[in-house]
Amino acid sequence: MATVAEQEHVNPPRERPEHVRNTELGKPVTFLEAIREALWEEMERDPDVFLMGEDIGIYGGAFKMTDGFLDYFGEDRVIDTPISEAGFTGAAAGAAHMGLRPVVEMQFMDFVSCAYEPLTNYIATSRWRGSGPVPMVVRGPVGGGVRGGPFHSQNPEMAFFHTPGLKIVYPSTAYDAKGLLKAAIRDDDPVLFFEHKRLYRAPALREVLPPEDFVVPLGEARIHREGTDLTIVTYGMMVHEALKAAERLAGDDGIQAEVLDLRTLLPLDEDAIVSSVKKTNRLLVVHEDTRTGGLAGEIAMRVNEKAFEWLDAPILRVTAIDTPVPYSPPLEDYYLPQVDDIVTAGKYLAGY
Amino acid sequence: MATVAEQEHVNPPRERPEHVRNTELGKPVTFLEAIREALWEEMERDPDVFLMGEDIGIYGGAFKMTDGFLDYFGEDRVIDTPISEAGFTGAAAGAAHMGLRPVVEMQFMDFVSCAYEPLTNYIATSRWRGSGPVPMVVRGPVGGGVRGGPFHSQNPEMAFFHTPGLKIVYPSTAYDAKGLLKAAIRDDDPVLFFEHKRLYRAPALREVLPPEDFVVPLGEARIHREGTDLTIVTYGMMVHEALKAAERLAGDDGIQAEVLDLRTLLPLDEDAIVSSVKKTNRLLVVHEDTRTGGLAGEIAMRVNEKAFEWLDAPILRVTAIDTPVPYSPPLEDYYLPQVDDIVTAGKYLAGY
Amino acid sequence: MPDRTTVGAGAGVAGLSRAQLHEIYGYLELTRRVEEVLTHLYRQNKVIGGLYRSLGQEATAVGSAYALRRRTDGTGDVIAPAIRNLGSLLVMGARPVDVMRQYMAKADSPTGGREQNVHFTDYDRGFIGLISHLGVMIEVMAGVALSFRLRGEDRVALAYCGDGMTSTGGFHEGFNFAAVQRLPLVVLIESNGYAYSTPTARQSAVGSFIEKAEGYGVHGERCDGNDVLAVYEMTRRAVDHARAGKGAVLLEVVTYRRKGHAEHDAQAYVPPGELAHWEALDPLDRFRRRLLDEGWATDAELDAISTRIAGEVEAAREAAERSPMPEPEAALEPVIAGARTARPWVRLPTPDPHLA
Amino acid sequence: MPDRTTVGAGAGVAGLSRAQLHEIYGYLELTRRVEEVLTHLYRQNKVIGGLYRSLGQEATAVGSAYALRRRTDGTGDVIAPAIRNLGSLLVMGARPVDVMRQYMAKADSPTGGREQNVHFTDYDRGFIGLISHLGVMIEVMAGVALSFRLRGEDRVALAYCGDGMTSTGGFHEGFNFAAVQRLPLVVLIESNGYAYSTPTARQSAVGSFIEKAEGYGVHGERCDGNDVLAVYEMTRRAVDHARAGKGAVLLEVVTYRRKGHAEHDAQAYVPPGELAHWEALDPLDRFRRRLLDEGWATDAELDAISTRIAGEVEAAREAAERSPMPEPEAALEPVIAGARTARPWVRLPTPDPHLA
Ligand SMILES: Cc1ncc(C[n+]2csc(CCOP(=O)(O)OP(=O)(O)O)c2C)c(N)n1
Ligand SMILES: Cc1ncc(C[n+]2csc(CCOP(=O)(O)OP(=O)(O)O)c2C)c(N)n1
Ligand SMILES: [Mg+2]
Ligand SMILES: [Mg+2]
């Protein structure tokens, strides 16, 4: 029986299309391009990696992430699915059981709610049930601020954060996005990979990436900015808002905020959080997601368990308000956490 | 056009069957019977209330909750559905839009995961979207300790706790179960109603209930046991474990634990939690649900926001371990929080 | 795609009066006109989100909704549109100005700017706004139909469904429930060639969606979706069937989405010639020709309708443009009755975490 | 239900040797015998959870699985059983002792006591343990079939599906995906009269589930599920079709669940006479009679098989009973690779929240 690997060797390697050669040519890449390169390189590296999703083939995906993939990798490895998130997510699990490494795209991560059942019940429990690992990635665009309304702007991390057996990754830079996605694809457990739409083409995020193969290990937070007065734990789009706020806090009031980017939400890098809090004695959690039941809660609990004595102020949070994501710009701007809010909270905490 | 109400009057009122007349006859009822009476009385009171679910008609439900309902209320108001949790939950929303008050049963709440999409996206957002209220109840058995294995033992509250627009009720006594279910059915917003299987027929929970119509308002916690040294916030089955632990703490060490039963998880009765913590200065959260991402987190966050200065010790939690619910008794007992664990944590906190 | 088009029934005047035929023509015109104005607004960056066109499919939307019992007091039939059913909404009585305000995210849009495009509800006029998640509306409409049966009302629910939407679990669970309960639900599948970029042949292996009817044990029928009278007549039969208590019906119309999925989509995936083929089958042109050929209308009459409608739409545009954007704090609109949404404490004049 | 039974094809010996026919008989016997022993264990409270019987349906499970390419090295066909497919598992090579240990929640059960009954997996022998949530296994098996196509392996995936399971979104999404991708997936619907207490007529309005095949654009076939050779032959044809790259197949067998949903279910909802009708159609009796009538076996041969199997099952029971229960801390079995599940700090000798 021919394996996918053997079949591949039948086709002589072709030239990569221009739009996935930026890093190879030493050019900077956007967040989106970094993810595209990760997908491309993993597909080249490992013939068991393949893609499924809606409109990812001839159209190249709603955000053109997989533009050019169908031509190069063929229909078997770039599969346009019917509109059935549960169906193709469950199918990915079956393929993963047999040793393949599917990467499925949610056209918008809002639609992962349709695959909630297979993800939380079948996929997350498989290894524990003795049915073996499910090496697969579910990736897609998340987040608000793009006037997408309540069903194209969600941050569904907390729907899955509570499920033992899943991993959740939410990068904030092009480097991390590439390295974390590669790590996720190589990981032997199911990974949800969240890509904030506002980061996709943000010019400020363009980066020249190392030309060699690299991964960013899952489960490790990163300090984006060192500080001594206050820890801001955040992730995704809010890393950039927190960094802006930190600059203002430093400039206006000389408050040095440490900005910790979780990068992986599950498993949570508790050690990184705890050691930063032990240094700064103050903790602000910032998430774009809604407030009640958001990630701040678990972080508060972990810090209580591990670093209560070090806290000189209450753990506070800056988050979206507890509603769906509104469509109209003035409403959405009110809904979302803003840099001003982080500054206000940071000052409050520093002065506590 | 005949309304349901008018149709009802065509049929002369018949005698209630024996098994729903306990309270009427002054007899004690179990937790399960209290729920059954609530359903029955609400259906008698309001012709717009009707039931849907799997095997709830001729079979009377997997736990015999609706035994006798089909005969009395007829096929239109006690509807056996195909196996399609999303389908009948979504259908309930449609019926609720038109002014009916559906109460749907999940045969086991574990299967509510199949209805995650309609609940979190369509139903929870309807009022906010301007599509009007969705007065409906999704109820069913939850919880472990009955050797049901990973798919008949879940506590899925945290799947929904993060969704603005839903209410979540999780009673611990027969009185509360009856009063809260009535309130839930009369509520104009969608309510998830969790019934712990170990409470259903627990002899110790048999209670003589007031013969008159009563409700327990949603959103109000209840102090089951007053105390001064420590607050234990909990809900569902764990209320009873916490009460046992509190007795032991009082007996062994003279530690007076206050046991606060949340009863409604969403909206969370923050005031009750905060005022108890301000009294005892120590907080232990106990939940049967798994640890990471469990309800303890949100409680910790709220207490940080509102009562940090009153805390003399870290907020701690006793919960299940972070795995699916195992089937084998020694495993499940290890998995679940035990009275001993609460006692240990209580002593630790009291001595902090 | 072309080979799958059956030529419509076109059986005479379908029991419609001359005035009704003119009204139908007016709705077709109105639909197209509103979308054209929206396209202008979109190009001016006045539409906030995406713009979804139904160009070439107007006959489906208008013809089917016109077959319903339409009321303004909440006693008529009820529809759930899909994204390309602006025409159905207009027939049910939605106002163009409200549609424009929705797209422009205005404070006085039916959803107060919280939701967009045709995602809005009017129970009095009988339409329920969809959410984006495809499939769930079939479930919801099964429940609407259930309420009609439980209350003994002889009303009918009509849910619109794209070819792509048929692949969802929601379609299956919702329609199966309606079928087995013999509910007065009509599901109309608009087979328009694509779901976003995905051709129908990649959505389902079935030759024609109507072959699914038997698999649900319901009556099924299919027609040319670009023939407004054929759609009207077929829907009429289905609605009568459902209203008579004979159970759910599955309908299919064969039509074609002549614009991209939304305005941003350049349709690069469309094979050459396909657009031209369907342009020639334009439902407005066809109906206009028919009206004239059969002597049901004169050029002058139809031109007058068009002129009137152009005026109405222009007035709606002006009104919509004048409408204000929402105030930021309107975001605190509550999600549950009687409750208030907690305001972020950091936006209060003197931040106090005790108000967090 | 009785009226829906078609009498099986029964076309001769179906290309099976005398030894193979005896083997099939043995699997039927084995299935029934294992369940009988489990019933005893259940009554003795040694089965921890529920007990699900396949009494009367053994021919479906055994006949279909026997039509597969069975291997022990992970290169054969792969099945996903439903709850009543113990017989299929045994044919694929599952050991009775493992099934008993699963039911008894023993430490050395294939899932270490974490999961129950037939919820266990053996990739080498080609079966994947189901979870309780109905429908998802069709999705998963579509993916298994996809892996065969992507790797160019001529293997087939067979998923079992109750009449009730057909109502789920998972069935629809999974099967539609397989159909449109022309994957080597066979879905076998066991129409056994009930889903728990719900009769099939309340599950679907379709006369026969096989009418769904056309709606998915796939080949469909149906037979008498109590005729083991008819099931074998039909499955064989389906599997050959799928293996030849001709796409997914929908099969239906008509059979009957003679016990309640699980042992606790007293079947009060079953109309009088129905059980007796189906008892007379017992698949074991029928096959035994057939073997004798056709001269394919002698009474002595069959009795010897029964005796051998009774002995094997008894030995399995003894071994399973001797197996230990798990150690409590085995609950810490990790959910992700390489990680350890955090132990509750309150169970450590000296509780320290810094270890929480
Ligand atoms: C569950 C879900 N998945 C994906 C999407 C993204 N999406 C929006 S419209 C669309 C295509 C719909 O196609 P079809 O049902 O044929 O309707 P049409 O656009 O052709 O009218 C897709 C994939 C969605 N809205 N919901
Ligand atoms: C999604 C889901 N809903 C409900 C259940 C509860 N349940 C378990 S088996 C069953 C009936 C299954 O009927 P069918 O598919 O016909 O299989 P059979 O038991 O007849 O073999 C039900 C309702 C479940 N397991 N999964
Ligand atoms: Mg379409
Ligand atoms: Mg069945």
Side-chain angles (χ1 to χ4, degrees), chain A residues 54-55 83 85 107 111 114, chain C residues 83-84 132-134 162-165 192 194-196 257 261:
Chain A
E54 292 153 14
D55 307 292
I83 302 175
E85 286 77 5
Q107 197 158 82
F111 305 132
C114 301
Chain C
I83 192 72
R84 275 173 242 291
S132 300
H133 292 67
L134 295 166
D163 45 294
M165 201 197 287
N192 66 354
Y194 295 92
Y196 210 138
R257 194 197 73 199
H261 172 61

Side-chain angles (χ1 to χ4, degrees), chain B:
Chain B
M1 256 162 267
T3 64
V4 173
E6 285 159 2
Q7 288 171 21
E8 278 308 302
H9 290 300
V10 176
N11 309 320
R14 280 173 296 147
E15 178 114 322
R16 287 183 182 174
E18 203 59 26
H19 71 301
V20 291
R21 295 185 60 214
N22 285 325
T23 291
E24 200 182 315
L25 301 169
K27 293 194 211 157
V29 296
T30 61
F31 187 82
L32 186 147
E33 288 163 345
I35 294 170
R36 184 190 283 145
E37 285 186 2
L39 288 171
W40 189 280
E41 291 171 20
E42 289 304 294
M43 286 185 76
E44 277 190 345
R45 188 189 57 78
D46 181 353
D48 286 333
V49 177
F50 75 103
L51 312 182
M52 289 198 281
E54 292 154 13
D55 308 291
I56 65 167
I58 187 166
Y59 194 71
F63 288 85
K64 298 289 177 194
M65 183 61 82
T66 53
D67 194 21
F69 281 53
L70 177 66
D71 272 357
Y72 192 91
F73 295 105
E75 284 204 342
D76 267 0
R77 295 183 67 199
V78 184
I79 300 176
D80 272 330
T81 63
I83 303 176
S84 45
E85 286 77 7
F88 64 77
T89 302
H97 281 325
M98 306 314 285
L100 298 177
R101 291 190 173 265
V103 181
V104 307
E105 172 171 298
M106 295 288 147
Q107 197 159 81
F108 288 82
M109 264 290 178
D110 310 56
F111 305 132
V112 78
S113 57
C114 301
Y116 181 80
E117 189 272 308
L119 279 165
T120 58
N121 283 293
Y122 188 86
I123 293 169
T125 63
S126 175
R127 176 186 293 279
W128 178 91
R129 287 185 291 109
S131 286
V134 188
M136 62 179 276
V137 176
V138 176
R139 51 157 290 278
V142 295
V146 296
R147 317 317 187 193
F151 307 112
H152 290 77
S153 306
Q154 296 174 5
N155 280 297
E157 60 266 29
M158 295 313 287
F160 300 101
F161 183 74
H162 176 252
T163 305
L166 299 178
K167 296 183 179 180
I168 305 175
V169 176
Y170 200 149
S172 73
T173 69
Y175 180 92
D176 283 349
K178 185 169 181 178
L180 284 164
L181 183 52
K182 285 181 165 235
I185 292 172
R186 297 177 198 184
D187 198 272
D188 278 342
D189 285 297
V191 181
L192 296 166
F193 192 88
F194 287 20
E195 305 163 4
H196 201 290
K197 293 182 282 287
R198 279 181 67 199
L199 301 179
Y200 268 161
R201 298 187 168 92
L205 258 66
R206 286 164 65 97
E207 239 183 297
V208 176
L209 299 182
E212 68 278 4
D213 183 47
F214 69 96
V215 297
V216 173
L218 304 188
E220 293 184 11
R222 170 182 155 190
I223 297 175
H224 268 253
R225 183 187 193 285
E226 304 236 15
T228 47
D229 300 331
L230 164 74
T231 298
I232 304 179
V233 171
T234 186
Y235 54 97
M237 181 66 208
M238 286 299 128
V239 170
H240 304 284
E241 307 296 77
L243 287 169
K244 282 184 209 150
E247 289 312 313
R248 278 183 38 198
L249 285 167
D252 297 1
D253 303 76
I255 299 167
Q256 294 302 335
E258 178 146 306
V259 176
L260 188 72
D261 175 0
L262 289 173
R263 303 198 294 190
T264 300
L265 309 187
L266 194 68
L268 191 63
D269 189 350
E270 182 181 291
D271 293 345
I273 298 166
V274 166
S275 59
S276 181
V277 169
K278 285 187 176 172
K279 182 170 73 170
T280 67
N281 311 114
R282 286 169 168 79
L283 174 59
L284 178 70
V285 183
V286 179
H287 54 66
E288 184 184 306
D289 188 19
T290 48
R291 180 171 175 260
T292 298
L295 190 65
E298 181 64 23
I299 294 171
M301 204 59 236
R302 300 279 181 111
V303 170
N304 264 271
E305 288 168 337
K306 299 286 173 69
F308 176 73
E309 294 292 344
W310 282 264
L311 282 177
D312 290 344
I315 302 166
L316 294 177
R317 57 183 164 180
V318 169
T319 72
I321 61 172
D322 277 340
T323 69
V325 190
Y327 168 53
S328 195
L331 303 180
E332 191 180 24
D333 291 344
Y334 188 91
Y335 164 91
L336 289 171
Q338 302 291 341
V339 175
D340 273 354
D341 300 333
I342 307 172
V343 170
T344 305
K347 284 187 191 170
Y348 179 90
L349 272 182
Y352 191 91

Side-chain angles (χ1 to χ4, degrees), chain A residues 117, chain B residues 54-55 62 81-85 88 106-108 110-114 151-152, chain C residues 173, chain D residues 52-53 57 82-85 130-136 161-168 189-198 200 203 209 257 260-262:
Chain A
E117 188 273 308
Chain B
E54 292 154 13
D55 308 291
T81 63
I83 303 176
S84 45
E85 286 77 7
F88 64 77
M106 295 288 147
Q107 197 159 81
F108 288 82
D110 310 56
F111 305 132
V112 78
S113 57
C114 301
F151 307 112
H152 290 77
Chain C
E173 295 199 0
Chain D
Y52 302 84
R53 294 289 308 270
Q57 299 180 230
I83 191 74
R84 277 173 239 293
N85 296 107
L130 66 155
I131 67 166
S132 299
H133 292 66
L134 296 166
V136 67
C161 177
D163 44 292
M165 200 198 288
T166 63
S167 300
T168 63
I189 300 175
E190 284 189 72
S191 200
N192 66 355
Y194 294 93
Y196 210 138
S197 72
T198 303
T200 309
Q203 201 67 239
F209 287 101
R257 194 196 72 199
H261 173 61

